[in-house]
Amino acid sequence: GLRDGIKEELDKLGVRIERIFEYNPEAPSFPPIAAGAADAVSKLIREYGRDKVAVILIAFNEAAELFKQAAGYEVLRSVLWIGSDGTAKLSEIVRDPISGEFASQTLFINPIYSPAVTAKQREVAEKVRAKIGEEPDAYSYAAHDALWAIALALLKIGPVEDPDTMAKRVKEELPRITVSDEFAKVAATGAFPLAESGDRATADYDMWLVRWTGAGYEWVLVGKYIGSMNAFEWEKVDGKTFPEMFRERFAAVATPAPTPTPTPTPTPT
């Protein structure tokens, strides 16, 4: 899953992974995880400095409870924490003052898929709001488009009795479907190419951060990852971009060089 994908990419980049902690989301026990993470982070800070150390958290709403345990360790508050779309914009984090403060202190940054805005997307949003009274999220649009892509592929290949053959032919047809004008007319996120893995070849992601606003902790949009450019575009929040916040919060403090002890000059006798 996501954990294995992140580990594979970090290995490619030569990033050292000190420890991986797992828990049962149905019955999590966070105190030993927080204690173990504190030990691991302390060790890495001694070796590399806190600006070279980060904690990656793959979780869902239970992240708020983990943060309450982690907040008891100064060392865990002293490094960057990175989340995923499973924790982006979680209300449980900002509603709790302890977890909100921890997320703010650690610049807990979270990416979440950001679909291109289209006229069809606005039409889909209006229909969803009218039906269930809620705003669809980014993955609702992606699910809408996935269903349409499969439906158009099935129409293209026609009746197939054997399910395995049908699945194979749909898979072969999808890369042509998702870039077609026909698909673009019904897709909430527009037409897009597929990678060999079957995922979108490129995608954009909004980057969200928890900040104190004076009235409480809130999620704030701080930038966007542009997939087609493989680059970030940062916005200023309180006059600073995320990289500037990072340098201010985690930049290594240079240790002053010791003042050499002067050698006494012999006094002539």
Side-chain angles (χ1 to χ4, degrees):
L2 181 57
R3 184 199 67 178
D4 294 334
I6 291 174
K7 184 178 184 302
E8 182 180 340
E9 290 302 315
L10 292 179
D11 287 342
K12 289 179 184 177
L13 294 170
V15 175
R16 172 179 166 182
I17 301 173
E18 180 66 16
R19 287 190 65 182
I20 296 176
F21 297 90
E22 297 181 349
Y23 60 88
N24 178 0
E26 301 298 324
S29 178
F30 291 132
I33 291 178
D39 289 341
V41 168
S42 295
K43 176 183 177 182
L44 292 172
I45 290 176
R46 287 194 298 269
E47 292 186 44
Y48 301 103
R50 66 177 186 169
D51 62 322
K52 302 295 192 302
V53 180
V55 178
I56 297 177
L57 176 63
I58 303 172
F60 293 99
N61 57 358
E62 68 274 9
E65 292 302 316
L66 172 59
F67 282 178
K68 283 194 261 187
Q69 296 297 325
Y73 296 88
E74 172 61 32
V75 69
L76 294 181
R77 298 198 305 270
S78 70
V79 295
L80 174 70
W81 282 59
I82 302 169
S84 69
D85 55 2
T87 45
K89 303 175 71 175
L90 274 180
S91 59
E92 288 88 346
I93 290 177
V94 293
R95 281 203 307 256
D96 182 86
I98 297 175
S99 61
E101 181 182 30
F102 182 85
S104 178
Q105 287 179 332
T106 58
L107 297 186
F108 182 50
I109 191 163
N110 295 256
I112 190 168
Y113 171 57
S114 176
V117 178
T118 65
K120 186 65 180 180
Q121 184 181 125
R122 289 189 285 269
E123 178 186 328
V124 170
E126 290 175 4
K127 290 181 178 179
V128 171
R129 283 194 297 268
K131 188 73 173 178
I132 66 173
E134 295 181 9
E135 187 76 23
D137 63 17
Y139 294 106
S140 298
Y141 297 126
H144 170 277
D145 291 356
L147 180 60
W148 264 109
I150 293 172
L152 291 174
L154 288 170
L155 289 173
K156 186 74 173 178
I157 66 176
V160 179
E161 292 186 3
D162 179 61
D164 291 335
T165 301
M166 179 178 65
K168 181 175 181 293
R169 293 187 60 186
V170 166
K171 184 177 179 180
E172 293 171 346
E173 194 64 38
L174 282 175
R176 291 185 286 273
I177 291 293
T178 61
V179 295
S180 67
D181 292 338
E182 185 179 20
F183 179 72
K185 293 176 183 177
V186 297
T189 63
F192 53 85
L194 294 178
E196 289 185 9
S197 62
D199 296 322
R200 294 171 184 248
T202 62
D204 297 344
Y205 290 84
D206 287 336
M207 310 301 293
W208 291 88
L209 199 70
V210 173
R211 302 289 285 173
W212 173 258
T213 64
Y217 291 102
E218 294 183 10
W219 287 99
V220 178
L221 180 66
V222 295
K224 182 185 290 287
Y225 170 76
I226 310 298
S228 60
M229 299 169 57
N230 190 27
F232 289 93
E233 292 183 353
W234 299 109
E235 299 180 10
K236 286 193 174 184
V237 176
D238 298 329
K240 299 173 186 175
T241 64
F242 175 76
E244 290 169 338
M245 295 179 200
F246 176 86
R247 286 192 293 270
E248 182 180 272
R249 178 75 177 91
F250 302 118
V253 178
T255 303
T259 303
T261 302
T263 303
T265 303
T267 304
T269 56

